[in-house]
Amino acid sequence: MSLHDTPAAYGAVSRLNHWIGAALIIVMLGIGLYFHEMPRGDELRYWMGLHVSIGALAFLPLAFRVLWRVQAASPQPLPQKPWLQRTSQVTHALLLGLIAVMIVSGPLTVWSGGRPIEVFGWLAVPSPMGRQEGLHEALEVVHGVGSRLLLLTVILHVLAAAWHALIERNRAAMARMLGAPAR
Ligand code: HEM
Ligand code: HEM
């Protein structure tokens, strides 16, 4: 079994990247959307701290995931109507682009607020920029809007995967992302 992608199949690295990345994104979206309307206080501090700690640890695997996909030619699109092929390519590019926006805007939101990035209390990476009010507010908007676009794109992507696998009963896409032979 190849580590690298081939024209017909995702390699092991891409598949691992996909499923680890999917789990991290779902956890990060879930926690972010859970705390986003909480009033200031200990509970908000706890959930935001958890989001920042997991986000800091997720940064490298997610950055690697995006860069790996950019440098590796993806397998050929699966045969389907040209507009669906195009939609799927655009959706995948949007997912990757939005992951990049989120992992860059998240840490910069913390740093431009003049705070260190704290990782479960073991490590604190101090802000290299100090508090920058205007930039901080702009980054909060980028991170907030990015998260909603990412949520919508993930929903579209998961519905499309479920549609192919369960309604059309075409297992080819799922099989190649799971590394199983297509039936
Ligand atoms: C948990 C539910 C998910 C399922 C069932 C699922 C399923 C799939 C499948 C079957 C493919 C292969 C499509 C093809 O061969 O053309 C794929 C590709 C892809 N998925 Fe997902 N996916 C899920 C979650 C996510 C999430 C949360 C993200 C990112 C936010 C994501 C990002 C991508 C990307 C970027 C691709 C293109 C190939 C790559 O770069 O990995 N997926 N997904
Ligand atoms: C990995 C992908 C990420 C996703 C999907 C994500 C998602 C979210 C969501 C949904 C919110 C709530 C937005 C709102 O208030 O409307 C949020 C807020 C926040 N995120 Fe993330 N995030 C990610 C990465 C990160 C990273 C890596 C960090 C920092 C290390 C971070 C730091 C923050 C902070 C500080 C807030 C609060 C912003 C504010 O005060 O409005 N995020 N994130």
Side-chain angles (χ1 to χ4, degrees):
M1 187 149 294
S2 171
L3 280 183
H4 289 269
D5 298 351
T6 66
Y10 289 104
V13 176
S14 290
R15 295 199 310 274
L16 211 64
N17 272 344
H18 176 268
W19 295 113
I20 292 176
L24 289 171
I25 292 298
I26 290 169
V27 167
M28 291 300 285
L29 271 175
I31 300 178
L33 295 174
Y34 180 67
F35 73 63
H36 93 279
E37 280 196 326
M38 276 182 192
R40 278 173 191 276
D42 286 348
E43 205 185 348
L44 174 63
R45 239 190 317 278
Y46 171 78
W47 287 103
M48 206 190 285
L50 189 63
H51 181 84
V52 169
S53 298
I54 299 175
L57 296 178
F59 180 89
L60 280 181
L62 289 174
F64 173 71
R65 187 233 184 297
V66 173
L67 294 175
W68 178 266
R69 171 58 48 232
V70 171
Q71 62 78 40
S74 297
Q76 294 291 322
L78 289 163
Q80 54 180 338
K81 294 193 187 80
W83 74 269
L84 277 175
Q85 265 182 2
R86 193 78 204 116
T87 310
S88 132
Q89 284 167 333
V90 170
T91 308
H92 293 166
L94 259 176
L95 287 166
L96 293 168
L98 288 166
I99 295 174
V101 167
M102 297 309 291
I103 60 172
V104 172
S105 60
L108 289 179
T109 301
V110 180
W111 279 338
S112 61
R115 284 170 288 142
I117 293 178
E118 290 191 40
V119 188
F120 294 112
W122 327 313
L123 176 74
V125 188
S127 168
M129 55 178 55
R131 186 163 178 88
Q132 307 220 8
E133 197 54 47
L135 181 63
H136 179 67
E137 281 171 18
L139 285 163
E140 275 183 347
V141 174
V142 171
H143 200 71
V145 173
S147 70
R148 301 317 191 271
L149 292 177
L150 183 58
L151 174 67
L152 290 177
T153 321
V154 168
I155 291 174
L156 179 69
H157 174 68
V158 175
L159 286 178
W163 175 272
H164 290 311
L166 304 175
I167 311 280
E168 286 183 348
R169 295 194 168 275
N170 176 352
R171 302 284 156 88
M174 197 61 89
R176 72 179 186 169
M177 195 42 98
L178 290 172
R183 279 184 290 129

